[in-house]
Amino acid sequence: MQIKTTASPRSSPSPPRLDRTVVERILPSARSSMEDAYARSVSEVLEFFEVDPSKGLSDSQVARHARLFGKNVLPEEERTSFWKLVLKQFDDLLVKILIAAALVSFVLALVNGETGLTAFLEPSVILMILAANAAVGVITETNAEKALEELRAYQADVATVLRNGCFSILPATELVPGDIVEVSVGCKVPADLRMVEMLSNQLRVDQAILTGESCSVEKELVCAVTTNAVYQDKTNILFSGTVVVSGRARAIVVGVGANTAMGSIRDSMLQTGDEATPLKKKLDEFGTFLAKVIAGICVLVWVVNIGHFRDPAHGGFLQGAIHYFKIAVALAVAAIPEGLPAVVTTCLALGTKRMARLNAIVRSLPSVETLGCTTVICSDKTGTLTTNMMSVSKICVVHSVHHGAMLAEYSVSGTTYAPEGFIFDNRGMKLEFPAQHPCLLQIAMCSALCNESVLQYNPDKGDYEKIGESTEVALRVLAEKVGLPGFDSMPSALNVLSKHERASYCNHYWENQFKKVSVLEFSRDRKMMSVLYSRKNMEVMFSKGAPESIISRCTSILCNDDSSTVPLTTNIQAELEARLHSFAGKETLRCLALALKRMPLGQQTLSLDDEKDLTFIGMVGMLDPPREEVKNAMLSCMSAGIRVIVVTGDNKSTAESLCRKIGAFDHLVDFSGHSYTASEFEKLSALQQTLALQRMALFTRVEPSHKRMLVEALQHQNEVVAMTGDGVNDAPALKKADIGIAMGSGTAVAKSASDMVLADDNFASIVAAVAEGRAIYNNTKQFIRYMISSNIGEVVCIFVAAVLGIPDTLAPVQLLWVNLVTDGLPATAIGFNKQDSDVMRAKPRW
């Protein structure tokens, strides 16, 4: 069913039309749509697609654009056929030797006139062993294709589209470049769009799944003039799959399907082949060496015994040749440790069970061992090293002005959206009843009332969730931590509430005490918002916004020691601006100032003129906080010879500040020569890039292609790379890395592209997993030595018997039984050995 309304007429004239033949000539040459739309003006983009913003595309234009650009869906990728996957498992030298041995054994049996079970026994046993090993490989590789399927979940279902002068709600798959689309709060962006008209004071979009930015991004209409622009620089583009968190706007579709940002991630994942694990490479090298040895011994046995071919005991020359050919086959079977794949698989499976207890869920068995030789961990910042939950960490208020301006600073604990944490004064003493402090009480009140977000508890996930801006949710959590006045007589009262009730109990209290009357929304020029409330014959306006905007509109301040209101002097303002510089500069906190104003009784509306003569009540600084356990985990990695590189889409100063807060980079005097943005790194020469990679600790302002490029560059330097991440933007790099590690709370795309998932999102779990991987390698090395030494005994036994003319000692079937059972079970027992106490003090093996 379509909902149609007539579009409102536009006061602006229609853009000039390009000649149809010119457009037909331009569009086919730009089948990937308008790739530089971010650098073009609105009129240029509208002209390119021949669209009137007041009417949208006509039906004929829609049909033509659909032919040129295709549908707005991520195309189905070609699946590897089942039989190709099966045949791939037999592409191994030792396996081919065993297959050849089975065929030769079968042919020789037929030549000797053997029939029935006797003829098929030896080849059947060999082929059954190979089939069992192949089954494990097929199952492992089938799981890898799920990542591309999961990517489609991030496409929007419907879109509000302007066509033929009417708005319609259409399936997002029917969008074509040139369509005019309207987006608003809560909408999932249906394609790559270029902003053409703002319908509210601002538009903010959460594009963390694409860029990893911890805060939503403000969008604008003006052209982006940055050269080599990355996604973060394209502030006039709305990317497919991202979510609008604030505002309303109209935009023109400039990219659909595979030609969107989400489509480029898909293409990058398709171009990424599976890398052989270090264990697989070692086993392949060993297999090649063993094959040469086997071939040499078989030829040697054949040549040495040519004189025995005519021995009467064999019944003729041909029968003698066949007899010694059988011995050569037996030698091949004896030399190859058929039980090795089974024992390796069993050992890795044991490792996955141990890792599962450490909250590391392994999706690909070989990755268990790969962790043990990891030399570099490229860690995503947002959601991996940090909680990805914006939290207030600092509060600044004016304590007193009796002896000059004296500011009071408070720190706030708690790094998630859970209403759990305490407030400490500048001496580190915990405030038992924060709501008894006048400024903190007013800050809590303003945080709860001047707020459009929602904080709620999700019982299914067992976690607190947000709806709306991260910064506003952080203020709601702060209001919960401050508490309510009058609760000093029953301090544990809030603790007896259920998690669902506790999530926003204090916020709901204030919302019930006041009645909302009017709102002045946030705008870019004012950089603030205000809300008018009434309560018991009292009208109050609460305001919040950028500190410089709020402070410049204040004429008085609220004192925290006696709740008095005093004039805001030049000295006090200078003190506040100095503290703001410290919060925003040195500590790179995102700062907001809060203020209030008593309004005339009965006022029902707000105007811009009302936002003056405010009373300053406080300033808060917030950040996406680091996880508490990260520091020790990173130090453990470094002591084990593993380098950690932090990779993020955030800006350089924010990321460097976070690294200092973590404390694991204290050995660096500064980040000069260790910290690069993606654009800075790309400008370096090849030699400079090589040197930079050897020292790099921080890589910022990156987009998905940069993460993949980083992994490839490190791999070219013979590094074994582990990549951690949780977003859609991390998927190509997770797939390219030697081992991709996704967060349990991350996107389904990231999990499907990874080799391992951290169920607890804990970077520290990686350290325990690395130790387990090293232990598995040590055990693997020991049981391979055991099995090879046993096989050498069999080879020597058969070879000596053949040289001396002694009758057959062991038949191939007997050798298979010995290799699988007599040798396999003791070798498996070695896989149960516990890790050495100093396993994490050794350097990674190469």
Side-chain angles (χ1 to χ4, degrees), residues 36 62 71 179 200 273 310 403 431 445 548 655-656 713 724 744 750 802:
D36 63 344
V62 170
K71 286 190 173 183
D179 265 328
S200 60
R310 299 183 183 278
H403 304 286
L431 303 186
M445 203 182 301
E548 59 272 19
E656 288 180 358
T724 73

Side-chain angles (χ1 to χ4, degrees), residues 43 61 80 182 421 465 501 642 740:
S43 59
Q61 286 178 307
T80 306
E182 187 168 301
E465 295 180 338
E501 294 172 315
I642 301 171

